[in-house]
Amino acid sequence: YERDFYRSETFKNEVLASRGWKEFYGTLAQASPDATHPAPNPVSVPEVLTDIAAAIRDVRQPLAVTAMAGESPTVLAAAALPVVTATLKGWVGALGPEDLGSASFRRDHGVRYNYVAGAMAGGIGSVDIVVTMAKAGMLGFFGSGGVPLDRVEKALAEVRDQLAEHPQAAYGFNLLHNPIEAGVEDRTVDLYLRYGVRKVSASAYLRLMPTVVRYRATGMRKLPDGSIHAPNSVFAKVSSLDVAAQFMAPPPAAMLKQLVGAGKLSATEAELAAQLPVAQDITAEADSGGHTDRRPLSVLLPQMVRLRDELAERHGYRKLGVELRIGAGGGIGDPMSARAAFALGADYILTGSINQTSLQAGTSPLARQMLTQASMADVVMAPAADMFEMGVQVQVLKRGSFYAQRARKLYEVYKTYDGFEAIPPEERAKLERDIFRQTLEEVWASTASYWQQRDPKQLEKAERDGKHKMALAFRAYLGLSSRWAQTGQADRKSDYQIWCGPAMGLFNSWAAGTWLETVENRDVTLMGLALMQGAAVIIRAERLAQCGVAVPALLELSKPAERDVLLRL
């Protein structure tokens, strides 16, 4: 009876076009002249929603928009709405933070959300971040760049032990390009393979290196169904299309041959690796903290997506069941920017700068506090410690610190003079007083002691080359400045090197006046959930607006969801 009724012209013309739905259903329910035509079961009447903002924020609730000709649209709770309706103008389905981005990303990496915490160097991307993210169904990378290998191994053991009861949880470690100490990369790969690390974030690469290829190809084998099992995943963080293309393509034949000849890969592993991309996940790094080319995401990401599609077609990846995915990193600090990244085609988003203010970050309370006070403009470029001689720069926080000015001064002296002896006495005195706070002889003594333990060959080169000696000493200051920030050495606050992009200011502006404003509430997973939830809310608002509904301002809609709402997700 109900089935036939829903199909009838009476339903279409008299019920759906009527404002008196409940009255109509009530009359119908009482009309039962005899037992041959029993009254229908009570029908669930869709609720007309008047609080549009609340309806949009309830991301699990599908919405329907109906309207008669010339009338304003009406928004309905759509869970019980019949499929056929003459006045239906649009439908906004349930859309939660777990629905954003590529489904293959969630499937391949065993995560619930397409949200990644980037590998902030020096262990700022900490064990706590990695473990907390993993347990929440997200992906976090340990920031092993600049961390001695014995500390990296300790972190590996801690992550393994803390996730022992969560064997399927996803996590990764960083593989930072080290052009100065090439052997460090190789030993890092050895360590990751020994501990069974299945995901690495390859960053700061100017070209593809054998270390990355060796990690990717190790353990590849053919399955009975003919597909290739590749246990190790590479996330390549790049801002150059040329470098991105190298990671999206299979490894060069010459490089594979070299690795086989050196006993680093088997012939079978090399053969299989030649069919697959080095990295399936490529993060388009825009205006980020630390190493960055400061590319606009709205320009970089579409080009990466087009390049991805071209190379996937050229190499026939789809036939192999292999998907290339493009992520977005840099400049993401509120739901609007997260939404924009997904709208531009990102399969996942990656955050970095903002996570330094989280409770789990491996940095000091003083550094966190400085970051929470930053605005969008409180960042600047300065010489990088790991690529000082090459003139490479990193983006850092300038509010409350003179690091950028002092590091630029050291680079200027390095470029101008051939060694300590060539520095004019007046210039030397300024360096010792304002930057080092000790004599250059004392600076070199501590520097030499460090390299004696780490790599004595550097000292041999320094004895022959005064400029290299000067570079090692100046790099010591640059390296210590980030450590002072991490440990919170108060008397060195003006020297803090804090890697930071403009997204930090964006996040602070968005969080102002809400529960996320204070450092004490900045749990790394809740920060991520708030961004993803907010992005989903914005998408729902956009879809309602396209149906002619007047929606509240996005500024209001995108405010952080309440903490208890996020905890229930």
Side-chain angles (χ1 to χ4, degrees):
Y1 179 91
E2 290 180 350
R3 180 196 63 198
D4 293 338
F5 176 71
Y6 284 136
R7 292 175 176 174
S8 71
E9 291 299 314
T10 301
F11 180 81
K12 295 179 184 177
N13 297 331
E14 295 184 34
V15 180
L16 292 177
S18 170
R19 295 297 185 195
W21 290 0
K22 292 186 179 180
E23 291 80 359
F24 185 96
Y25 281 125
T27 302
L28 182 66
Q30 295 172 10
S32 179
D34 53 50
T36 308
H37 299 88
N41 293 329
V43 178
S44 176
V45 181
E47 177 188 359
V48 176
L49 303 174
T50 56
D51 188 341
I52 304 301
I56 293 171
R57 289 195 183 100
D58 186 4
V59 295
R60 301 285 188 265
Q61 168 66 61
L63 306 173
V65 182
T66 66
M68 295 294 289
E71 295 185 5
S72 298
T74 300
V75 180
L76 310 169
L81 190 71
V83 175
V84 179
T85 168
T87 61
L88 185 65
K89 287 182 64 67
W91 182 281
V92 177
L95 182 77
E98 69 277 11
D99 300 315
L100 304 183
S102 163
S104 74
F105 182 90
R106 296 188 289 276
R107 181 189 67 241
D108 289 356
H109 297 299
V111 295
R112 187 181 180 196
Y113 305 100
N114 292 29
Y115 184 83
V116 180
M120 295 171 286
I124 296 174
S126 64
V127 168
D128 283 347
I129 283 183
V130 169
V131 171
T132 303
M133 293 281 287
K135 290 180 178 179
M138 300 176 178
L139 178 58
F141 284 96
F142 180 82
S144 56
V147 179
L149 286 180
D150 59 338
R151 279 185 53 205
V152 175
E153 183 166 12
K154 181 181 178 183
L156 284 163
E158 289 176 356
V159 170
R160 178 195 60 197
D161 293 345
Q162 292 186 42
L163 292 178
E165 297 181 4
H166 305 269
Q168 303 305 315
Y171 69 90
F173 274 64
N174 189 32
L175 182 61
L176 182 71
H177 181 43
N178 192 329
I180 306 300
E181 302 171 87
V184 172
E185 275 184 60
D186 222 33
R187 294 195 296 274
T188 302
V189 170
D190 290 339
L191 196 58
Y192 292 166
L193 293 175
R194 189 162 75 248
Y195 274 81
V197 175
R198 296 307 180 199
K199 306 179 198 306
V200 300
S201 173
S203 55
Y205 282 87
L206 305 178
R207 66 183 186 279
L208 184 64
M209 301 297 289
T211 46
V212 180
V213 174
R214 177 164 76 96
Y215 171 81
R216 168 64 165 159
T218 297
M220 283 189 182
R221 68 181 191 277
K222 207 158 201 175
L223 299 178
D225 63 2
S227 63
I228 300 173
H229 174 63
N232 300 329
S233 299
V234 173
F235 282 68
K237 191 164 63 172
V238 297
S239 55
S240 161
L241 293 176
D242 291 339
V243 177
Q246 294 178 47
F247 277 98
M248 293 185 204
M255 190 175 290
L256 290 170
K257 184 178 180 180
Q258 174 190 350
L259 288 167
V260 171
K264 298 294 179 85
L265 291 178
S266 70
T268 299
E269 288 170 333
E271 179 186 351
L272 297 176
Q275 303 174 55
L276 299 180
V278 175
Q280 280 184 247
D281 299 282
I282 298 90
T283 304
E285 184 180 19
D287 195 0
S288 63
H291 286 285
T292 178
D293 290 331
R294 307 185 78 180
R295 306 293 189 212
L297 188 64
S298 59
V299 174
L300 178 63
L301 190 55
Q303 293 190 85
M304 288 284 190
V305 170
R306 281 196 289 272
L307 178 64
R308 181 267 313 274
D309 293 345
E310 292 171 6
L311 291 176
E313 179 69 23
R314 183 188 308 172
H315 295 291
Y317 291 145
R318 191 154 298 180
K319 296 177 182 177
L320 297 173
V322 173
E323 291 192 44
L324 289 177
R325 292 173 291 257
I326 304 297
I332 299 175
D334 78 338
M336 293 187 192
S337 54
R339 161 54 178 148
F342 286 120
L344 287 168
D347 293 301
Y348 61 92
I349 60 174
L350 180 147
T351 57
S353 297
I354 66 173
N355 298 326
Q356 293 182 95
T357 64
S358 73
L359 297 172
Q360 294 86 358
T363 194
S364 66
L366 185 52
R368 288 193 190 95
Q369 198 60 45
M370 291 170 66
L371 285 162
T372 59
Q373 297 169 0
S375 69
M376 177 183 68
D378 287 331
V379 293
V380 66
M381 299 301 292
D386 54 347
M387 300 183 185
F388 178 77
E389 296 95 317
M390 300 166 65
V392 174
Q393 296 193 323
V394 290
Q395 190 159 217
V396 298
L397 182 71
K398 71 176 179 180
R399 184 186 179 100
S401 173
F402 293 111
Y403 168 79
Q405 298 95 309
R406 291 168 179 171
R408 282 198 293 264
K409 180 61 178 177
L410 291 178
Y411 185 70
E412 177 187 316
V413 171
Y414 168 74
K415 293 294 289 183
T416 304
Y417 305 106
D418 292 329
F420 288 148
E421 296 77 11
I423 302 174
E426 184 178 347
E427 189 80 83
R428 183 183 180 117
K430 289 180 181 179
L431 297 180
E432 294 175 338
R433 182 189 67 234
D434 300 336
I435 298 179
F436 295 112
R437 301 187 188 179
Q438 57 183 175
T439 66
L440 289 182
E441 286 77 14
E442 291 171 325
V443 171
W444 175 246
S446 58
T447 301
S449 176
Y450 170 83
W451 285 107
Q452 185 63 48
Q453 299 295 321
R454 185 178 178 97
D455 184 1
K457 291 182 179 179
Q458 298 294 330
L459 296 180
E460 296 173 10
K461 183 177 178 181
E463 291 301 319
R464 301 189 305 268
D465 183 352
K467 206 169 187 71
H468 183 64
K469 179 178 180 179
M470 185 165 53
L472 293 180
F474 290 179
R475 281 172 54 195
Y477 166 80
L478 273 62
L480 286 169
S481 62
S482 58
R483 189 181 306 169
W484 292 328
Q486 283 184 259
T487 60
Q489 188 166 326
D491 66 330
R492 281 291 195 169
K493 181 182 176 183
S494 64
D495 294 288
Y496 282 6
Q497 179 185 180
I498 302 175
W499 303 299
C500 182
M504 188 72 259
L506 177 61
F507 186 92
N508 291 335
S509 174
W510 170 60
T514 75
W515 63 276
L516 266 178
E517 182 174 16
T518 61
V519 172
E520 292 74 21
N521 287 330
R522 292 192 181 184
D523 175 271
V524 68
T525 58
L526 291 182
M527 291 165 69
L529 278 175
L531 289 176
M532 297 288 278
Q533 172 86 349
V537 167
I538 291 173
I539 293 172
R540 283 166 57 86
E542 291 171 348
R543 292 177 179 174
L544 271 186
Q546 290 165 0
C547 298
V549 177
V551 301
L554 292 184
L555 182 65
E556 178 65 26
L557 284 175
S558 67
K559 284 184 177 179
E562 293 302 321
R563 184 187 181 95
D564 61 337
V565 171
L566 298 176
L567 290 172
R568 289 197 300 269
L569 290 176

